[in-house]
Amino acid sequence: MGENMLVLDAGTTSTRAMLFDPSGRMLAVAQADLTQHYPRPGWVEHDAAEIWQRTLSCMREVARGKAGTIAAVGITNQRETVVAWDRTSGAPLARAIVWQDRRTAAFCAELKAAGAEGAVQESTGLLLDPYFSATKMRWLLREDRQVAAAAQAGTLALGTVESWLVWNLTGGAHLSDASNASRTLLLPLDGARFDPALCDLFGVPAAALPEVIDTHGALGMIAAKWLGRPVPLAALVGDQQSATIGQACLAPGETKATYGTGAFVLTNMGQTIPRSANRLLGTVLYQESGMRTYALEGSAFVAGSLIQYLRDQLGLIGNAAETEALARSITDSGEVVIVPALAGLGAPHWRPEARGVISGLSFASGRAEIARAALEAMAHQTHDLAQAFARDGAPWTALRIDGGMSANDWMAQDLADVLELEVERPALVETTALGAAMLAAVGAGLYSGLAEAAAAMRGGATRFIPQMEDDVRAARLNRYARALGAA
Ligand code: ADP
């Protein structure tokens, strides 16, 4: 038996396979893009057969000639996306409904108007939003004839993306790990299995759902036909939880923020079930031998996509990295403030109707001022989240950043300055895959626990120390608060 971890990272725009050694070094990687289907405005679908086929071919490419070195497989995945398939044929019954899909907005509004949100939030930690899986499952059961017929015949399997991959890799085990299951609206944060009352509320037959299991451990076996011999499946984890573990946020208060298209922030809450009074989400971070560790989660919809907007829509910059030199070329933004509510405002505001604002323009406001204001907006949005987390009893002790935008040193320093926190950026920003590799290593018994895996597998980091004057910070936050009022 080998000692390397094979990680499958089934993301939203691409799927990848990576091989990690026990020191966290990435030995091989293969990637394939996924086709995005947009059949109507607000609808986003994937072809589940394509997800499986492309993941499989990436896995085979990475394992070629090295299958003997693999100790365990770990899977991390885009969360909330729903797949429906037939247990008899193993074939998908409909396109997968992707997490971004908004088709169930009206039903969510109906349930909210009926006063259902309080009890749902109390139990699951989530809000009534189309983002989560349950209303997508309900939609498939009501609107798709094949899904309805399979439900009738008792052959329907419903699951999130990790369940779909596990079904294929193991030859028919129907499993979901607690971190993914906690994104469905069907799993109580303190319950071992999907809740019959929640299944009733959303009209989802419990018989179609997977068994909820740990995030890591001896979870199952990958069938011999895929890697030439049976290989233990040792980890299953949602992508944001995986990145939190990859960033070694293993003690309560430790927090990571991923700045990609949007910004996703998770704080480790230990064994305390998170109860947010500030519209943040409570979620399972990981589960070991039935014991859960929780996280509080908040996200801003727009982060790197604001930079793409400056480049593609406004033509103000040629590439994303240019924002750094522009920001450094001036001493301040000349009072220009951007509220990046281009897709409404996410946590903690949850104002879908809000729209973006650029305020404080004068004839002196040029490209540099706008670019700098765009980067400053990341610290302002993160500061809003930091305050909401603190009010919910989860003040941040430091902030570990990753995602494509975290490469921007100026933004990283500005985050440290505005948050008055040390900001840390790991040398390896592939934290999502690394988290699944760490969990798989622990699950396969290579390390005694996550702390040991983190010590062995994580590399060095760059630190950004706060150095901004208090009055400068206060003036920035004041201007932002005023602009936010206009969004
Ligand atoms: P995702 O995983 O959501 O596709 P990535 O983590 O790959 O996103 O990050 C890409 C985003 O980061 C893009 O929106 C891009 O505009 C932004 N970005 C990349 N490099 C920089 C940079 N140096 N400065 C600012 N933004 C950047």
Side-chain angles (χ1 to χ4, degrees):
M1 191 173 118
E3 54 172 17
N4 295 328
M5 274 59 66
L6 174 65
V7 171
L8 307 179
D9 178 0
T12 307
T13 55
S14 72
T15 189
R16 298 190 299 167
M18 279 156 281
L19 196 63
F20 285 92
D21 77 5
S23 71
R25 209 154 50 96
M26 202 196 290
L27 304 175
V29 57
Q31 171 162 356
D33 285 342
L34 288 179
T35 314
Q36 311 291 315
H37 299 272
Y38 304 106
R40 295 189 199 179
W43 292 30
V44 187
E45 298 177 347
H46 284 161
D47 176 353
E50 183 187 87
I51 293 177
W52 161 237
Q53 286 304 332
R54 295 198 177 162
T55 304
L56 177 62
S57 65
C58 288
M59 176 171 102
R60 284 183 155 152
E61 191 179 326
V62 159
R64 192 168 300 135
K66 301 195 200 77
T69 74
I70 300 169
V73 172
I75 299 176
T76 182
N77 57 287
Q78 53 162 319
R79 307 176 301 173
E80 297 102 8
T81 297
V82 170
V83 183
W85 68 98
D86 189 282
R87 290 175 192 267
T88 321
S89 68
L93 293 162
R95 289 250 183 84
I97 305 185
V98 178
W99 57 273
Q100 296 142 316
D101 191 291
R102 308 299 297 174
R103 77 184 64 179
T104 60
F107 177 65
C108 289
E110 225 173 85
L111 277 183
K112 239 193 230 178
E117 190 167 70
V120 168
Q121 188 190 14
E122 173 74 21
S123 170
T124 66
L126 308 179
L127 300 169
L128 285 173
D129 190 274
Y131 180 22
F132 308 108
S133 314
T135 62
K136 300 180 197 294
M137 293 179 178
R138 176 182 184 272
W139 190 94
L140 284 170
L141 284 152
R142 292 168 71 99
E143 305 293 335
D144 188 284
R145 268 202 284 146
Q146 293 208 61
V147 174
Q152 197 73 39
T155 60
L156 175 66
L158 285 171
T160 36
V161 168
E162 86 295 354
S163 301
W164 168 238
L165 294 176
V166 167
W167 174 277
N168 284 290
L169 287 165
T170 59
H174 195 22
L175 307 172
S176 176
D177 73 278
S179 75
N180 273 294
S182 75
R183 312 298 297 178
T184 57
L185 280 170
L186 301 173
L187 183 76
L189 283 173
D190 61 355
R193 52 186 62 88
F194 292 118
D195 177 34
L198 289 168
C199 289
D200 279 353
L201 178 70
F202 293 102
V204 175
L209 295 173
E211 180 191 347
V212 180
I213 59 166
D214 286 349
T215 44
H216 54 296
L219 307 182
M221 276 289 171
I222 308 296
K225 65 176 165 181
W226 304 126
L227 292 168
R229 63 183 174 88
V231 175
L233 174 65
L236 297 174
V237 62
D239 54 9
Q240 295 306 323
Q241 287 97 327
S242 193
T244 308
I245 292 158
Q247 287 273 28
C249 297
L250 303 178
E254 290 181 339
T255 302
K256 75 90 193 175
T258 300
Y259 295 91
T261 306
F264 288 87
V265 182
L266 274 81
T267 297
N268 183 313
M269 298 296 281
Q271 270 76 54
T272 314
I273 294 184
R275 304 263 180 232
S276 178
N278 294 281
R279 299 186 76 68
L280 300 173
L281 307 175
T283 213
V284 174
L285 179 57
Y286 60 88
Q287 177 179 313
E288 190 172 6
S289 308
M291 278 276 293
R292 285 183 186 162
T293 297
Y294 297 96
L296 198 60
E297 174 171 332
S299 47
F301 299 139
V302 175
S305 54
L306 177 64
I307 306 302
Q308 281 171 320
Y309 171 80
L310 296 188
R311 185 192 65 192
D312 302 337
Q313 299 285 109
L314 302 187
L316 283 181
I317 52 173
N319 61 64
E322 213 181 295
T323 53
E324 179 160 351
L326 284 168
R328 286 189 198 285
S329 72
I330 49 179
T331 53
D332 57 57
S333 73
E335 302 196 6
V336 176
V337 177
I338 298 184
V339 182
L342 286 80
L345 285 167
H349 309 288
W350 294 100
R351 282 170 48 203
E353 75 294 347
R355 286 298 171 260
V357 169
I358 304 181
S359 73
L361 292 174
S362 73
F363 284 114
S365 316
R367 249 160 38 90
E369 283 76 11
I370 307 264
R372 182 164 169 139
L375 294 179
E376 289 182 351
M378 300 306 129
H380 299 152
Q381 296 193 109
T382 310
H383 186 265
D384 273 351
L385 286 169
Q387 286 189 311
F389 276 72
R391 283 197 300 269
D392 274 344
W396 302 348
T397 48
L399 186 67
R400 298 181 185 155
I401 61 170
D402 52 53
M405 209 180 180
S406 72
N408 191 307
D409 283 352
W410 190 90
M411 186 195 86
Q413 180 60 47
D414 195 53
L415 280 169
D417 287 343
V418 170
L419 298 171
E420 294 178 83
L421 279 180
E422 188 172 307
V423 166
E424 194 184 302
R425 183 182 62 207
L428 174 82
V429 289
E430 294 284 357
T431 55
T432 305
L434 182 64
M438 285 166 52
L439 285 168
V442 174
L446 261 65
Y447 295 114
S448 62
L450 287 170
E452 196 183 285
M457 298 177 74
R458 274 170 48 88
T462 309
R463 287 187 167 69
F464 300 86
I465 310 293
Q467 52 185 229
M468 187 178 267
E469 304 286 336
D470 288 345
D471 55 337
V472 176
R473 180 187 313 109
R476 282 260 310 266
L477 290 171
N478 260 330
R479 273 197 292 274
Y480 171 67
R482 262 184 296 164
L484 191 61

